[in-house]
Each structure stands twice: as structure tokens, then as C-alpha cells.
């Protein structure tokens, strides 16, 4: 479906599809919440969305939140118009233009239906048609003067009766639903899910034991009305007993985070954030588990809507989470205790005005010093035990109730006036200079920036920055870590209907400002900015639709997209020790870009080089745990959520300027240009076609060597241009036979074989290309270091001895698996040879006897290599085979860092001794088969695999 004619709606209220013709679709276009205009109204398509026509519009201030089709007659339509406006300073959720509309001719004409409905200003209206009897309509109406409630019509909207005074907040809820089987049973969603069994005369809670509240969507199973699904602020829940018990759908990573921060825990840091109505959270950035990071690894640090969290940089057990309107606490991770440390105005002082998301900062100069802001800036030097205001009221001190909305100043009785909004005039952001503890800067929700260079004794007001609209919300100010006079600011004007990016830089402590948004998309408000702590020209911004970086101080921006959905990035944190960029998205959880240092070191001239490998970060060597007994989610099923850990290994970031193309790709590129130019495209010569068909696919080859130059591993990668990453898992190549089979992801036991782990130490990696049958080095060896995590309780004391033993095991594993594969090939040969003996023109009795004897000898080799299958199938005890001895050693030693047991050492010695005569027997059998094949060829027997025919 195309969005022709609906490009500026911003918010679609509802879609209704004609039950008799799926190409006829109606859309209720809500329009922007923040400004007039946009695509508001009811739109209709009759060609499946190719073209749209507006069939109903009220005004620039009123949109439509619902559209319904009578199931008996698709020409009968009902639409809910909603007049509302929300801006930074205030909210009005209703007006005279909020009404119910009805059409009986497929939207050609419309009438307001109001007989029996409130005549005062109305807010949001929720509507439902009973599927039992579509003459019955239910509406939940938000209205002034306490006239709101649940209304019912039994005559298709011609008249209405108020059933009760229940209503909800139109800003959050106001949805009503009819039961599919009982015309008198109706639900509406609110903080609780409410149900009526008497046609809306009264409602009661259905029951939400162990379920999150704040409900927004409800589905009722038409075949079993006790089966419900509810969408709420906590996610999706399902009940099969009408709310007595609920099942949570825990596998939806859709958390809305306002802010993000990190600590310095070792070896892996933790991530903290505040969520929309799901508390403040903490969880690991990664773990040592092959099962990833499940929900159970996360814990709450404080209840309520969560916002800015800060962590003591010297003691990660001390956390400062907060809830809405400045509800800050000091959380002790060890005990789980939370102490409320919110500043309170003194007796006789004016009340404080807190932002929904109040700014919080821990000083870079003293870890016990906090900065926290309402409309004043507070400082604590004792971890929040006491607070001192170091500013006066830094807002414009505007009376928001005197500002016009939708063209006029509204009375205090306007529908939902100012509900769930910040009290206008507060501080939204704080920054402190790393280079001078007395330099502070703040921003406000009414468009002011203030600066002090003496710790708050005096403040300089910064206003009317050229290029920034009046009273624009200051989303973030940021002090540079490299120059005490450089500051950055992001302004966000989307709550006035302006979605342009506003990113500014000052080089004189705020006296003057320069716009640096440059080539950022014109539509995409900016929320946050981050500056690299090493390279002052490397900047990141988080926008409504993703994250961008600049390597030239903001002159140009490039989007970071790989693996990141299109989503609002509300906040960013750079974890300096690891050089990770951590993102707080509003609807898809946290995202981490591991080790962004290749961007730090990137220069424009680097993109002109043929290829390079970026400096390689030191990495941790460890064996992953498997607490679920299998990788990833184990046997927990898809309903279990687990975020995969980053791959264990050394990460190589590399760049290739151009694709290495095959002859076919080169030919097609030339032909494409000819087609564009209108030139004829002729067939190449016969020789050229043959060369093209036989041309090998190019690839890249990474070669890893140890400190002595010994090759440890080679890894193949596609020869595709651009910046990419590949991970070496610290392992030598598999000692098993070459295979092209891909493990079945649905089978947890089908895992690709891997080699033993390399030692911690210094390594090098070079990059070569394979092109036209030749391997050519294109990036010389680059050094990197591998460190041991030392996570084991009983690690091997002698690492060199451990490494030597694993090498011996790997080699015998290579030989044993090769011998067994060769034996299997000989068994397969014999299958064809025995048939060829039968099919030969002559009678070959001696050959048949020889074949039978060879089969017996091959069975004997198989027993020694793999065990006595005849007895084991019949549940008899059998001696341990060579393969079983080596397989047991390999299965353990490849996944531990401890020394081999004496049992393993003895088993290796036994297997080594037993293997020699087996190989000798295989050689003799192989020779005898070749002799048998020569007999077959002399007697003109049919072809058998591996036998070259003789021609004279």
C-alpha cells in the first residue's frame, strides 16, 4: 500500500478494510499532535492503496482517531474526530470540533451524530460496533464539565444514552471493545482493563494479577471470549480464563528507553537506563554465556517511569536512578536498598518545577559530587545527602496558561488541560567541563542556555541563537573534553511541529554558535550528541530515525545502519574504556556498537586506499558457558528471550576500496554502460566465454600467525567493497576432514567442528586477495594481543604444556578422522567392485573371494577405529575404540583451560600406539583393492569409482 496523499499525517489513528472488497480501505488520519495542518481526515482508496481521496476533513486542528465499517453494510461508516494539541508548555485534549460522524454512502457525505451525547467540548472518543447486533454502538467519551462517560446507541447512532460516568485519559487510553458473543458485554482499557456485563451501566476490573498496567489494546477471541490478548505499557499479555491468570510475552525486545549510562565494571561493563513506565534497569553489556543475555540478567534499580541514571565511576555498586519529575534515589547494588535523595525546597520557598526527565550528572572531578536540576541547578558534594542550589530560576518564568494553543488562550476547564505534561519552565540538560570544574552549562525547555565559569556564582544567559526557532527545547548541551571553550547543543522543536535537526557548536564558551547539522536529513529531530574522548573531530548524533557520525567535526554526517533498525535514538553514552557507543532507543531497547575506534582513526584519504586493517583492540580469551545445556536459547523455545552475546574472538575491522570482480561481473558492468549509452551489446568471443565460465570466484584471505611467525589460522571472506568486520574465534582450524555441509540451525547437536584454542599472547594478521587463481597480499601483517580472562577455578599451571598436548591431540584427531574417512571411501569402492564382479563378461570367482576377504578386513579396521558395532547394538560392553578415546579428549580439552587429566594422557598414548597398525592395515587393504581393480579392468568390467580405464 502506497502512502500517496498521506505523507504528512504523522499519526494514523485506524485503518478499516471493507469486508466485501479488500481493495476498498479507509484510513483515519490523526495528523500531527504538535501543530496544525498535515494530512488530517478520513481517506479512502478503492484500488488497494494506489490512489487516495480525502472524504472527510474538519479543520487544521482536528484529526480522526477511529474509522469503523458496519459489518452488514459497508457503505455505513462511523468516524471519530478529535481536536487536540500538545506542545512543550501545555496540553489541550479536546474542543468543539471533537465529534462522532456517520456516512451512509461510503464516505461521500457525512453527518454529525450527537443526539444524547455531551454538548460541551469533547476530547477523544472511542467507538465500537457490536458484532452481535451492529445496531448497538458503544462510545467512551472524554468531555468537559464531567459530562464524559460510556454511551450506548441501539439504533445505529440515531440516539444515545449515557450508561455510566466512567471515562479515561484520552492522552493514553480511551479505547472500547465489544464482546463477540454478548451484546451487553463491553470492555474499555485504562490503567486497568475494565469490563461491563450490563451494557455499560457499571464496570469492574477483570483482574491483572502479576500483569503490568496501563492498557492500550485488547483482542478478544471470537470463538472463546475468555481468551484475551492485551497490549499495555509492559508489553503483550495473554489470558485464557478472562483475566484470572496471565502469560507475559517475554520475547519482544521493544523497551522504550529515555536515557542510557554505563559503569566501569570489569571485565564487562553494565548498561543502565530509564524506561517508559518500566522502571530503571541495569544489565550486562555482555557475559561469558553461550546462551546470551536473557531477561533474568537484568534487574530494577528503581520503580516508576525511569529516566537519567548515573553510576559512581569509582564504585559501580552505587547507582543514582530516577523516576519522573525528579524522583532520584541512591541505589546500593549490594543490598538492593534505595534511599530517596530528591532535593526539596525550603520552608517558604517557591515550589520547584521538575522536568518529566530531569537532568542528572556526576562530576568528572569528584565522584561524590552530583548535579541535579529542576528550574534551579542543585549540587551535592556528599552523594545526595545534602543539596545546595547554585542558581536561581533559570527559566523564562513564563505563565504557560497565557500562551495561545490552536489560536486562542484556553480556560482552566479545557478538556484535560495540561494533564501529564511538565510544568513549563525547567532545566532539561546539564554539562560540566572536564578541563575546569567551575565551568558549567545548562539548557531549558523554554529555549535558554546558561553558562557559568565560576561554579554557579554568576550565570550568563544565552538566547536567540541565529537559526534556532524561538523557545526551542534544549535537548542537550555538551562540554568538549578537548577545549574548555567548546560546547555543543542539540535543540528539538518537534513539539511545535518542526522536525528539522538543530545541532550547534560554540568555540567561545557560548558567546557565538554555528550550525553543524549540514547534511543531516531535513526531517529527523536530533535528541543527543556525543564527542569522542580521543579525537575531537569524531562526533555522533542520535536522531528520530537513527544515529549518524562525523569525522570532520560536523561538516558532514554519515548514517550508521548495519544491524540498527529505523528508530528514535533518545540518548547515547560512550564507554571510554572499551570505546563502545551505547544507544538508548525509544522502542527497540539498547544497542551497542562495539569498539568504534576504526571511525576514530578514519581519515578521508584512507577511503582512497585499496585496502587496510584498522588497529585491532586487545581481546579476551575464554570458553563460553552453556547453562542451558545447548547454545543460544537451549531448549527454552522461541517464547524465551535472550540477546546474543558478541562472538568470542579478536575482531578485525577491514576496508576494501573496490569489489574484486569476476570476468562476468566486469563484462556486465561494461555492458550496462553501453546500454545506458544506447550502444549495441554484442556477444564476446568463444574464448572469452570459456574464460568467463572457468573463472574462479575471488575472495579475501586473512592469515593469522603467532609471535614466531607460525600460521595459526586462515579465514576466508567475501571480496566485497566497504568497511566490514570478521571475528577470529581464537581457535586453530578444525582437524576434521574438509566439509561443505552447513550445520542445521534447527538441530542443536549439529554443530560445526572447531579446533583447539590458541594461547594468550601476541599475534599478527595479514590480508590477501585471491583473484584469477593467484593469492596476493594486500595488507601486511598487523599486530594484536590476546588476553586470558582467567575465568577458571583450576586453570592449567603450565600453559605451554597444555598447548603442546592440544596440538598432539589435534594431530592424532586429524589422522584418525582421515583414516576413518578413507576407510569409508574404500567401503564405498567395494560396494561398486562387488557389483562389477557380477556384471563382468567373465566369471571372476577368485575376485569375488578376494572381495569378501577385503570386506572382512575393512570391518576389522572399523571395529578398532570406531568400536564393535555388532555387540554395542545388542547392549554389550565393548572396549573403548581409538576414535572414542580421542573424541573424549577433544570434546573436553577444546572447551576448557585446565590441564589434561592423567586419564586423557594415558588414553592419548594408548590411541597413538593402537593407531599405527591400523594405518598399516589400511595401506595393505588399499593396495589389495588396486590389484583387484586391475583384474576388473583386464576383464573389461564396468567402471567403478577411482579406477581409470585403459585404452589401447
Amino acid at each position: 500500500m502506497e502512502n500517496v496523499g498521506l505523507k504528512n499525517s504523522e499519526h494514523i489513528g485506524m485503518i478499516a478494510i471493507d469486508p466485501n472488497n479488500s481493495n476498498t480501505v479507509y484510513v483515519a488520519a490523526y495528523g500531527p499532535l504538535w501543530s496544525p495542518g498535515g494530512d488530517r481526515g478520513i481517506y479512502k482508496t478503492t484500488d488497494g492503496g494506489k490512489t487516495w481521496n480525502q472524504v472527510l476533513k474538519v479543520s487544521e486542528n482536528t484529526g480522526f482517531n477511529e474509522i469503523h465499517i458496519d459489518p452488514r453494510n459497508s457503505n455505513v461508516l462511523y468516524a471519530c474526530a478529535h481536536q487536540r494539541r500538545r506542545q512543550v508548555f501545555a496540553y489541550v485534549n479536546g474542543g468543539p470540533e471533537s465529534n462522532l460522524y456517520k456516512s451512509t454512502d461510503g464516505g461521500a457525505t457525512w453527518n454529525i451524530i450527537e443526539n444524547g451525547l455531551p454538548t460541551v467540548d469533547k476530547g477523544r472518543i472511542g467507538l465500537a460496533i457490536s458484532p452481535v447486533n451492529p445496531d448497538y454502538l458503544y462510545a467512551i467519551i472524554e468531555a468537559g464539565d464531567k459530562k464524559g462517560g460510556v454511551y450506548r446507541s441501539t439504533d445505529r447512532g440515531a440516539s444515545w444514552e449515557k450508561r455510566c460516568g466512567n471515562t479515561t485519559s484520552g492522552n493514553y487510553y480511551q479505547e472500547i471493545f465489544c464482546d463477540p458473543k454478548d451484546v451487553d458485554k463491553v470492555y474499555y482499557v485504562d490503567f486497568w482493563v475494565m469490563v461491563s456485563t450490563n451494557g455499560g451501566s457499571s464496570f469492574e476490573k477483570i483482574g491483572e494479577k502479576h500483569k503490568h498496567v496501563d492498557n492500550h489494546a485488547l483482542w478478544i477471541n471470537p470463538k472463546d471470549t475468555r481468551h484475551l490478548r492485551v497490549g499495555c505499557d509492559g508489553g503483550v499479555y495473554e489470558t485464557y480464563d478472562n483475566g484470572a491468570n496471565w502469560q507475559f510475552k517475554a520475547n519482544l525486545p521493544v523497551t522504550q528507553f529515555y536515557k542510557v549510562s554505563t559503569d566501569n565494571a570489569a571485565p564487562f561493563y553494565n548498561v543502565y537506563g530509564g524506561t517508559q513506565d518500566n522502571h530503571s534497569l541495569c544489565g550486562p553489556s555482555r557475559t561469558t554465556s553461550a546462551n546470551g543475555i536473557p531477561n533474568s540478567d537484568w534487574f530494577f534499580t528503581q520503580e516508576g517511569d525511569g529516566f537519567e541514571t548515573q553510576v559512581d565511576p569509582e564504585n559501580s555498586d552505587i547507582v543514582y536512578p530516577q523516576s519522573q519529575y525528579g524522583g532520584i534515589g541512591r541505589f546500593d547494588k549490594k543490598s538492593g536498598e534505595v534511599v530517596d535523595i530528591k532535593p526539596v525546597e525550603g520552608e517558604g520557598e517557591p515550589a520547584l518545577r521538575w522536568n518529566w526527565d530531569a537532568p542528572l550528572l556526576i562530576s568528572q572531578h569528584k565522584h561524590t559530587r552530583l548535579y541535579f536540576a529542576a528550574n534551579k541547578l542543585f549540587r551535592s558534594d556528599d552523594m545526595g545527602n545534602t543539596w545546595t542550589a547554585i542558581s536561581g530560576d533559570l527559566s523564562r518564568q513564563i505563565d504557560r496558561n497565557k500562551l495561545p494553543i490552536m489560536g486562542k488562550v484556553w480556560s482552566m476547564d479545557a478538556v484535560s488541560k495540561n494533564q501529564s505534561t511538565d510544568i513549563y519552565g525547567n532545566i532539561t540538560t546539564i554539562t560540566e567541563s572536564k578541563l575546569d570544574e567551575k565551568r558549567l552549562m545548562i539548557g531549558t525547555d523554554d529555549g535558554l542556555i546558561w553558562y557559568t565559569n565560576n561554579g554557579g556564582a554568576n550565570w550568563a544567559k544565552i538566547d536567540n541563537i541565529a537559526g534556532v526557532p524561538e523557545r526551542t527545547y534544549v535537548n542537550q548541551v555538551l562540554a568538549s573534553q578537548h577545549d574548555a571553550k567548546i560546547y555543543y547543543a542539540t535543540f528539538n522543536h518537534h513539539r511545535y511541529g518542526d522536525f528539522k535537526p538543530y545541532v550547534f557548536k560554540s568555540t567561545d564558551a557560548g558567546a557565538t554558535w554555528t550550525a553543524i547539522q549540514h547534511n543531516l536529513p531535513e526531517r529527523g529531530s536530533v535528541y543527543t550528541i556525543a564527542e569522542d574522548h580521543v579525537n575531537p573531530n569524531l562526533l555522533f548524533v542520535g536522531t528520530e530515525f537513527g544515529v549518524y557520525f562525523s569525522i570532520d567535526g560536523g561538516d558532514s554526517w554519515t548514517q550508521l545502519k548495519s544491524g540498527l533498525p529505523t528508530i528514535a535514538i533518545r540518548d547515547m553514552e560512550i564507554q571510554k574504556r572499551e570505546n563502545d557507543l551505547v544507544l538508548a532507543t525509544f522502542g527497540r531497547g539498547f544497542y551497542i556498537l562495539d569498539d568504534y575506534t576504526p571511525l576514530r582513526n578514519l581519515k578521508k584519504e584512507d577511503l582512497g586506499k585499496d585496502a587496510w586493517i584498522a588497529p585491532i583492540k586487545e581481546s579476551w580469551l575464554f570458553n563460553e558457558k552453556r547453562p542451558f545445556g545447548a547454545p543460544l536459547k537451549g531448549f527454552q523455545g522461541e517464547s524465551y528471550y535472550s540477546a546474543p552475546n558478541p562472538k568470542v574472538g579478536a575482531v578485525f575491522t577491514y576496508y576494501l576500496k573496490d569489489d574484486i570482480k569476476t570476468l562476468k561481473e566486469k563484462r556486465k558492468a561494461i555492458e550496462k554502460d553501453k546500454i545506458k549509452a544506447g550502444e549495441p551489446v554484442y556477444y564476446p568471443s568463444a574464448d572469452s566465454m570459456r574464460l568467463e565460465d572457468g573463472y574462479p570466484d575471488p575472495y579475501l584471505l586473512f592469515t593469522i600467525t603467532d609471535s614466531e611467525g607460525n600460521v595459526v589460522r586462515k579465514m576466508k571472506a567475501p571480496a566485497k567493497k566497504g568497511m566490514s568486520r570478521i571475528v577470529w574465534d581464537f581457535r586453530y582450524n578444525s582437524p576434521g576432514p574438509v566439509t561443505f555441509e552447513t550445520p542445521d540451525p534447527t538441530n542443536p547437536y549439529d554443530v560445526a567442528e572447531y579446533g583447539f584454542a590458541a594461547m594468550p599472547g601476541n599475534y599478527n594478521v595479514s590480508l590477501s586477495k585471491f583473484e584469477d587463481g593467484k593469492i596476493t597480499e594486500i595488507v601486511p601483517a598487523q599486530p594484536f594481543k590476546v588476553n586470558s580472562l582467567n575465568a577458571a577455578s583450576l586453570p592449567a599451571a603450565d600453559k605451554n604444556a597444555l598447548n603442546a598436548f592440544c596440538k598432539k591431540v589435534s594431530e592424532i584427531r586429524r589422522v584418525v578422522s582421515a583414516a576413518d574417512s578413507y576407510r569409508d571411501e574404500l567401503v564405498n569402492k567395494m560396494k561398486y567392485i562387488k557389483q562389477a564382479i557380477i556384471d563382468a563378461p567373465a566369471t571372476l570367482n577368485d575376485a569375488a573371494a578376494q572381495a569378501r576377504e577385503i570386506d572382512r578386513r575393512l570391518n576389522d579396521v572399523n571395529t578398532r577405529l570406531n568400536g564393535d558395532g555388532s555387540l554395542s547394538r545388542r547392549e554389550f560392553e565393548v572396549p573403548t575404540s581409538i576414535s572414542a578415546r580421542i573424541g573424549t579428549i577433544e570434546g573436553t580439552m577444546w572447551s576448557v583451560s585446565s590441564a589434561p587429566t592423567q586419564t586423557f594422557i594415558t588414553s592419548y598414548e594408548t590411541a597413538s600406539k593402537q593407531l599405527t597398525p591400523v594405518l598399516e592395515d589400511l595401506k595393505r587393504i588399499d593396495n589389495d583393492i588396486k590389484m583387484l581393480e586391475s583384474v576388473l579392468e583386464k576383464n573389461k568390467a564396468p567402471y567403478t569409482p577411482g579406477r581409470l580405464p585403459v585404452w589401447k
Side-chain angles (χ1 to χ4, degrees), residues 892-913:
T892 298
M893 298 308 300
W894 273 212
S895 57
V896 300
S897 54
S898 56
T901 64
Q902 185 57 49
T903 301
F904 283 172
I905 294 171
T906 303
S907 271
Y908 168 80
E909 293 170 349
T910 302
S912 179
K913 182 179 67 175

Side-chain angles (χ1 to χ4, degrees), residues 88 373 397 441 495 675:
V88 173
Q397 301 177 50
M441 185 176 282
R495 279 191 271 183
I675 292 170

Side-chain angles (χ1 to χ4, degrees), residues 660-662 665 695-700 716-719 770-772:
I660 303 174
K661 296 180 179 179
T662 63
E665 289 169 335
Y695 197 85
D697 289 336
Y699 58 83
L700 298 178
K716 187 178 172 183
F770 174 81
E771 184 178 20
D772 196 15

Side-chain angles (χ1 to χ4, degrees), residues 484-505:
K485 291 186 177 181
I486 292 180
Y487 288 82
Y488 300 92
T490 62
F491 300 86
N492 194 308
H493 209 50
H494 86 268
R495 279 191 271 183
Y496 294 94
D498 179 358
F499 296 91
K500 295 175 183 174
Y502 295 101
V503 186
F504 283 74
K505 178 180 180 179

Side-chain angles (χ1 to χ4, degrees), residues 631-688:
L632 303 177
K633 296 182 181 183
F635 309 113
Q636 303 301 308
E638 289 305 319
S639 64
Y640 188 87
Y641 179 75
S642 178
N645 272 307
K647 293 180 180 179
V648 178
V651 180
F652 307 140
T653 304
Y654 63 97
Y655 172 79
L656 189 66
K657 182 182 177 183
D658 298 305
D659 290 340
I660 303 174
K661 296 180 179 179
T662 63
L663 289 178
K664 181 178 181 179
E665 289 169 335
K666 292 175 183 178
R667 171 181 58 79
K668 294 185 77 171
I670 294 170
E671 291 178 349
K672 184 178 180 181
D673 292 338
K674 288 184 176 181
I675 292 170
K676 278 187 178 180
E679 299 176 11
V681 179
Y682 299 115
Y683 274 51
S685 68
D687 286 343
S688 295

Side-chain angles (χ1 to χ4, degrees), residues 66-295:
E66 293 190 20
I67 176 74
H68 297 270
I69 302 175
D70 188 315
R72 300 167 302 186
N73 182 351
S74 56
N75 283 321
V76 177
L77 310 171
Y78 301 91
C80 304
H82 185 199
Q83 181 181 1
R84 91 280 196 230
R85 180 70 49 75
R86 181 170 186 168
Q87 298 190 300
V88 173
F89 58 87
Y91 177 52
V92 173
N93 198 47
E97 295 176 358
S98 294
N99 284 299
L100 272 176
Y101 286 81
K102 181 178 180 179
S103 173
T104 58
D105 51 15
T109 60
W110 295 83
N111 294 302
I112 295 175
I113 51 175
E114 55 186 348
N115 183 19
L117 295 180
T119 57
V120 297
D121 285 359
K122 292 178 283 294
R124 184 173 175 178
I125 301 171
L127 181 70
I129 302 174
S130 172
V132 181
N133 182 354
D135 288 350
Y136 279 63
L137 309 179
Y138 287 89
I140 185 165
I141 299 176
E142 184 182 22
D145 296 337
K146 299 182 180 180
K147 301 294 185 182
V150 174
Y151 289 75
R152 184 174 75 173
S153 171
T154 58
D155 52 13
R156 289 171 284 177
S159 62
W160 294 84
E161 175 192 9
K162 184 174 182 178
R163 303 292 289 174
C164 70
N166 291 37
T167 187
T168 73
S169 169
N171 190 33
Y172 294 117
Y173 315 111
Q174 208 69 350
E175 303 274 356
I176 195 164
F177 306 87
C178 290
D179 186 90
K181 293 184 177 181
D182 185 347
V183 73
D184 287 320
K185 192 172 185 181
V186 61
Y187 299 81
Y188 71 83
V189 288
D190 193 358
F191 186 83
W192 309 107
V193 177
M194 306 295 291
V195 62
S196 170
T197 56
N198 53 17
S201 293
S202 62
F203 284 83
E204 62 183 16
K205 294 181 287 186
I206 68 169
E208 302 192 45
K209 181 180 65 174
H210 303 144
K211 175 190 164 296
H212 201 288
V213 293
D214 283 342
N215 303 283
H216 305 283
L218 173 67
W219 173 81
I220 308 166
N221 188 333
K223 296 180 179 179
D224 177 5
T225 58
R226 292 172 55 82
H227 178 199
L228 310 174
R229 293 191 184 116
V230 174
C232 64
D233 277 9
V236 176
Y237 289 80
E238 186 170 34
T239 178
Y240 290 88
D241 52 17
N242 210 44
N245 299 281
W246 292 91
Q247 181 191 61
F248 175 54
K249 306 302 181 182
N251 58 347
L252 290 171
V254 292
T255 303
Q256 296 170 310
F257 280 101
Y258 289 103
K259 292 290 176 65
V260 62
S261 57
T262 61
D263 63 19
N264 289 313
F268 309 127
Y269 63 90
N270 295 298
V271 180
Y272 302 78
T275 72
Q276 194 281 318
D277 205 25
N278 279 270
H279 311 315
S280 294
L281 297 169
C282 171
S285 60
R286 74 169 299 165
T287 66
T288 59
S289 173
N291 299 124
I293 305 173
N295 291 336

